[in-house]
Amino acid sequence: MVLGAVTLTACDSAKKKRPTYDGVPFKIKTKAVDKKNSRADFIVEIKDAGQSLEGARLAAAHAGVTYCLSEAGYGTSDIIWNINPRDPEAQLRLVDGAAVFQGTCES
């Protein structure tokens, strides 16, 4: 029984460590479109975007900046987006409930 309580506490603390956007701790996946060709082009996928479309936009913008600065190593947060997550008028692309954004890190 104690082990079960510890396990639940560990799961709870892992969720708390995930940043929230508009109050939602989204699962975010960021990856290069073609890692062998260039790490500059990338895709950000925000799972369950319907929980908060505004939060999904914020999460995508943050994930893009993090990707370009850290993962791709471009040293700049300048991004050319196909659909700019910071533009509230831009139509979101939803795939199986996930918001999908594509961008290119500017060098």
Side-chain angles (χ1 to χ4, degrees), residues 9-93:
T9 304
C11 290
D12 205 29
S13 66
K15 261 189 173 178
K16 288 180 184 177
K17 289 181 183 177
R18 187 181 302 162
T20 61
Y21 304 91
D22 197 28
V24 180
F26 290 103
K27 287 186 180 180
I28 304 167
K29 182 178 179 183
T30 308
K31 65 179 182 176
V33 172
D34 182 359
K35 189 187 267 186
K36 290 180 183 178
N37 186 30
S38 170
R39 295 185 60 88
D41 299 318
F42 66 94
I43 294 174
V44 177
E45 185 177 308
I46 311 299
K47 304 281 186 183
D48 299 322
Q51 294 180 63
S52 168
L53 296 179
E54 177 61 26
R57 289 176 185 279
L58 293 170
H62 183 254
V65 168
T66 301
Y67 174 83
C68 290
L69 289 175
S70 301
E71 294 178 44
Y74 279 87
T76 179
S77 60
D78 295 333
I79 299 170
I80 299 170
W81 292 98
N82 288 2
I83 299 171
N84 189 340
R86 292 190 173 118
D87 179 0
E89 301 298 316
Q91 180 70 35
L92 292 183
R93 179 176 162 225

